[in-house]
PDB file of all heavy atoms in Angstrom:
ATOM      1  N   HIS A 674      11.200  -4.392  -6.921  1.00 98.00           N
ATOM      2  CA  HIS A 674      11.444  -5.625  -7.678  1.00 98.00           C
ATOM      3  C   HIS A 674      11.467  -6.837  -6.727  1.00 98.00           C
ATOM      4  O   HIS A 674      10.871  -7.881  -7.043  1.00 98.00           O
ATOM      5  CB  HIS A 674      12.777  -5.534  -8.417  1.00 98.00           C
ATOM      6  CG  HIS A 674      13.164  -6.778  -9.152  1.00 98.00           C
ATOM      7  ND1 HIS A 674      12.337  -7.377 -10.066  1.00 98.00           N
ATOM      8  CD2 HIS A 674      14.291  -7.533  -9.111  1.00 98.00           C
ATOM      9  CE1 HIS A 674      12.919  -8.471 -10.553  1.00 98.00           C
ATOM     10  NE2 HIS A 674      14.102  -8.580  -9.967  1.00 98.00           N
ATOM     11  N   GLN A 675      12.095  -6.693  -5.595  1.00 98.00           N
ATOM     12  CA  GLN A 675      12.121  -7.791  -4.624  1.00 98.00           C
ATOM     13  C   GLN A 675      10.717  -8.158  -4.170  1.00 98.00           C
ATOM     14  O   GLN A 675      10.385  -9.338  -4.005  1.00 98.00           O
ATOM     15  CB  GLN A 675      12.999  -7.390  -3.425  1.00 98.00           C
ATOM     16  CG  GLN A 675      14.474  -7.273  -3.739  1.00 98.00           C
ATOM     17  CD  GLN A 675      15.272  -6.677  -2.601  1.00 98.00           C
ATOM     18  OE1 GLN A 675      14.722  -6.048  -1.681  1.00 98.00           O
ATOM     19  NE2 GLN A 675      16.580  -6.836  -2.645  1.00 98.00           N
ATOM     20  N   ILE A 678       8.813 -10.118  -6.922  1.00 98.00           N
ATOM     21  CA  ILE A 678       9.212 -11.520  -6.919  1.00 98.00           C
ATOM     22  C   ILE A 678       8.571 -12.261  -5.757  1.00 98.00           C
ATOM     23  O   ILE A 678       8.024 -13.367  -5.922  1.00 98.00           O
ATOM     24  CB  ILE A 678      10.739 -11.646  -6.884  1.00 98.00           C
ATOM     25  CG1 ILE A 678      11.389 -11.038  -8.125  1.00 98.00           C
ATOM     26  CG2 ILE A 678      11.155 -13.107  -6.717  1.00 98.00           C
ATOM     27  CD1 ILE A 678      11.034 -11.707  -9.418  1.00 98.00           C
ATOM     28  N   HIS A 679       8.603 -11.652  -4.578  1.00 98.00           N
ATOM     29  CA  HIS A 679       8.019 -12.287  -3.407  1.00 98.00           C
ATOM     30  C   HIS A 679       6.521 -12.541  -3.615  1.00 98.00           C
ATOM     31  O   HIS A 679       6.023 -13.643  -3.336  1.00 98.00           O
ATOM     32  CB  HIS A 679       8.213 -11.398  -2.173  1.00 98.00           C
ATOM     33  CG  HIS A 679       7.487 -11.875  -0.958  1.00 98.00           C
ATOM     34  ND1 HIS A 679       7.983 -12.865  -0.109  1.00 98.00           N
ATOM     35  CD2 HIS A 679       6.264 -11.545  -0.437  1.00 98.00           C
ATOM     36  CE1 HIS A 679       7.141 -13.101   0.865  1.00 98.00           C
ATOM     37  NE2 HIS A 679       6.079 -12.325   0.679  1.00 98.00           N
ATOM     38  N   LEU A 681       4.848 -12.779  -6.422  1.00 98.00           N
ATOM     39  CA  LEU A 681       4.617 -13.810  -7.447  1.00 98.00           C
ATOM     40  C   LEU A 681       4.717 -15.206  -6.820  1.00 98.00           C
ATOM     41  O   LEU A 681       3.909 -16.083  -7.134  1.00 98.00           O
ATOM     42  CB  LEU A 681       5.628 -13.657  -8.587  1.00 98.00           C
ATOM     43  CG  LEU A 681       5.354 -12.501  -9.556  1.00 98.00           C
ATOM     44  CD1 LEU A 681       6.547 -12.300 -10.487  1.00 98.00           C
ATOM     45  CD2 LEU A 681       4.083 -12.747 -10.363  1.00 98.00           C
ATOM     46  N   HIS A 682       5.688 -15.400  -5.947  1.00 98.00           N
ATOM     47  CA  HIS A 682       5.790 -16.699  -5.264  1.00 98.00           C
ATOM     48  C   HIS A 682       4.564 -16.946  -4.361  1.00 98.00           C
ATOM     49  O   HIS A 682       4.049 -18.081  -4.331  1.00 98.00           O
ATOM     50  CB  HIS A 682       7.078 -16.750  -4.422  1.00 98.00           C
ATOM     51  CG  HIS A 682       8.311 -17.010  -5.207  1.00 98.00           C
ATOM     52  ND1 HIS A 682       8.521 -18.193  -5.893  1.00 98.00           N
ATOM     53  CD2 HIS A 682       9.419 -16.250  -5.435  1.00 98.00           C
ATOM     54  CE1 HIS A 682       9.720 -18.161  -6.482  1.00 98.00           C
ATOM     55  NE2 HIS A 682      10.273 -16.989  -6.235  1.00 98.00           N
ATOM     56  N   LEU A 698       5.414 -21.039 -15.012  1.00 97.00           N
ATOM     57  CA  LEU A 698       6.718 -20.591 -14.505  1.00 97.00           C
ATOM     58  C   LEU A 698       7.121 -21.403 -13.285  1.00 97.00           C
ATOM     59  O   LEU A 698       6.332 -21.552 -12.338  1.00 97.00           O
ATOM     60  CB  LEU A 698       6.655 -19.109 -14.143  1.00 97.00           C
ATOM     61  CG  LEU A 698       6.659 -18.102 -15.293  1.00 97.00           C
ATOM     62  CD1 LEU A 698       6.494 -16.694 -14.741  1.00 97.00           C
ATOM     63  CD2 LEU A 698       7.955 -18.183 -16.078  1.00 97.00           C
ATOM     64  N   SER A 699       8.350 -21.877 -13.290  1.00 97.00           N
ATOM     65  CA  SER A 699       8.902 -22.533 -12.122  1.00 97.00           C
ATOM     66  C   SER A 699       9.354 -21.479 -11.116  1.00 97.00           C
ATOM     67  O   SER A 699       9.453 -20.290 -11.441  1.00 97.00           O
ATOM     68  CB  SER A 699      10.109 -23.394 -12.521  1.00 97.00           C
ATOM     69  OG  SER A 699      11.175 -22.563 -12.958  1.00 97.00           O
ATOM     70  N   ASP A 700       9.669 -21.909  -9.894  1.00 97.00           N
ATOM     71  CA  ASP A 700      10.192 -20.981  -8.895  1.00 97.00           C
ATOM     72  C   ASP A 700      11.475 -20.334  -9.383  1.00 97.00           C
ATOM     73  O   ASP A 700      11.691 -19.126  -9.191  1.00 97.00           O
ATOM     74  CB  ASP A 700      10.421 -21.695  -7.578  1.00 97.00           C
ATOM     75  CG  ASP A 700       9.134 -22.104  -6.888  1.00 97.00           C
ATOM     76  OD1 ASP A 700       8.104 -21.406  -7.103  1.00 97.00           O
ATOM     77  OD2 ASP A 700       9.129 -23.094  -6.164  1.00 97.00           O
ATOM     78  N   ASP A 701      12.346 -21.124  -9.992  1.00 98.00           N
ATOM     79  CA  ASP A 701      13.599 -20.569 -10.501  1.00 98.00           C
ATOM     80  C   ASP A 701      13.347 -19.550 -11.599  1.00 98.00           C
ATOM     81  O   ASP A 701      14.042 -18.522 -11.688  1.00 98.00           O
ATOM     82  CB  ASP A 701      14.500 -21.699 -11.028  1.00 98.00           C
ATOM     83  CG  ASP A 701      15.096 -22.545  -9.918  1.00 98.00           C
ATOM     84  OD1 ASP A 701      15.127 -22.061  -8.765  1.00 98.00           O
ATOM     85  OD2 ASP A 701      15.512 -23.678 -10.206  1.00 98.00           O
ATOM     86  N   ALA A 702      12.369 -19.817 -12.452  1.00 97.00           N
ATOM     87  CA  ALA A 702      12.046 -18.875 -13.530  1.00 97.00           C
ATOM     88  C   ALA A 702      11.490 -17.578 -12.974  1.00 97.00           C
ATOM     89  O   ALA A 702      11.787 -16.488 -13.501  1.00 97.00           O
ATOM     90  CB  ALA A 702      11.055 -19.517 -14.503  1.00 97.00           C
ATOM     91  N   ILE A 703      10.711 -17.660 -11.921  1.00 98.00           N
ATOM     92  CA  ILE A 703      10.208 -16.440 -11.276  1.00 98.00           C
ATOM     93  C   ILE A 703      11.378 -15.622 -10.731  1.00 98.00           C
ATOM     94  O   ILE A 703      11.459 -14.411 -10.932  1.00 98.00           O
ATOM     95  CB  ILE A 703       9.218 -16.793 -10.155  1.00 98.00           C
ATOM     96  CG1 ILE A 703       7.937 -17.383 -10.729  1.00 98.00           C
ATOM     97  CG2 ILE A 703       8.894 -15.561  -9.302  1.00 98.00           C
ATOM     98  CD1 ILE A 703       6.981 -17.940  -9.697  1.00 98.00           C
ATOM     99  N   ASN A 704      12.295 -16.283 -10.054  1.00 98.00           N
ATOM    100  CA  ASN A 704      13.440 -15.578  -9.466  1.00 98.00           C
ATOM    101  C   ASN A 704      14.300 -14.916 -10.533  1.00 98.00           C
ATOM    102  O   ASN A 704      14.979 -13.922 -10.232  1.00 98.00           O
ATOM    103  CB  ASN A 704      14.292 -16.540  -8.644  1.00 98.00           C
ATOM    104  CG  ASN A 704      13.607 -16.984  -7.379  1.00 98.00           C
ATOM    105  OD1 ASN A 704      12.755 -16.294  -6.853  1.00 98.00           O
ATOM    106  ND2 ASN A 704      13.990 -18.147  -6.873  1.00 98.00           N
ATOM    107  N   ALA A 705      14.301 -15.433 -11.745  1.00 98.00           N
ATOM    108  CA  ALA A 705      15.151 -14.922 -12.812  1.00 98.00           C
ATOM    109  C   ALA A 705      14.510 -13.798 -13.603  1.00 98.00           C
ATOM    110  O   ALA A 705      15.155 -13.223 -14.487  1.00 98.00           O
ATOM    111  CB  ALA A 705      15.542 -16.063 -13.755  1.00 98.00           C
ATOM    112  N   LEU A 706      13.269 -13.440 -13.291  1.00 98.00           N
ATOM    113  CA  LEU A 706      12.581 -12.397 -14.045  1.00 98.00           C
ATOM    114  C   LEU A 706      13.269 -11.045 -13.835  1.00 98.00           C
ATOM    115  O   LEU A 706      13.561 -10.642 -12.704  1.00 98.00           O
ATOM    116  CB  LEU A 706      11.133 -12.293 -13.608  1.00 98.00           C
ATOM    117  CG  LEU A 706      10.192 -13.431 -14.033  1.00 98.00           C
ATOM    118  CD1 LEU A 706       8.844 -13.290 -13.336  1.00 98.00           C
ATOM    119  CD2 LEU A 706      10.013 -13.440 -15.562  1.00 98.00           C
ATOM    120  N   ALA A 707      13.498 -10.328 -14.922  1.00 98.00           N
ATOM    121  CA  ALA A 707      14.038  -8.976 -14.847  1.00 98.00           C
ATOM    122  C   ALA A 707      12.966  -8.050 -14.287  1.00 98.00           C
ATOM    123  O   ALA A 707      11.760  -8.376 -14.307  1.00 98.00           O
ATOM    124  CB  ALA A 707      14.469  -8.517 -16.240  1.00 98.00           C
ATOM    125  N   PRO A 708      13.363  -6.878 -13.782  1.00 98.00           N
ATOM    126  CA  PRO A 708      12.377  -5.992 -13.115  1.00 98.00           C
ATOM    127  C   PRO A 708      11.153  -5.667 -13.929  1.00 98.00           C
ATOM    128  O   PRO A 708      10.025  -5.796 -13.419  1.00 98.00           O
ATOM    129  CB  PRO A 708      13.215  -4.742 -12.823  1.00 98.00           C
ATOM    130  CG  PRO A 708      14.595  -5.266 -12.617  1.00 98.00           C
ATOM    131  CD  PRO A 708      14.738  -6.396 -13.611  1.00 98.00           C
ATOM    132  N   ALA A 711       9.008  -8.833 -14.342  1.00 98.00           N
ATOM    133  CA  ALA A 711       8.380  -9.219 -13.085  1.00 98.00           C
ATOM    134  C   ALA A 711       7.219  -8.296 -12.750  1.00 98.00           C
ATOM    135  O   ALA A 711       6.149  -8.760 -12.326  1.00 98.00           O
ATOM    136  CB  ALA A 711       9.404  -9.197 -11.957  1.00 98.00           C
TER     137      ALA A 711
END
Side-chain angles (χ1 to χ4, degrees):
H674 177 54
Q675 291 171 342
I678 297 297
H679 173 83
L681 285 170
H682 282 296
L698 285 175
S699 67
D700 290 332
D701 288 340
I703 292 172
N704 290 335
L706 289 170

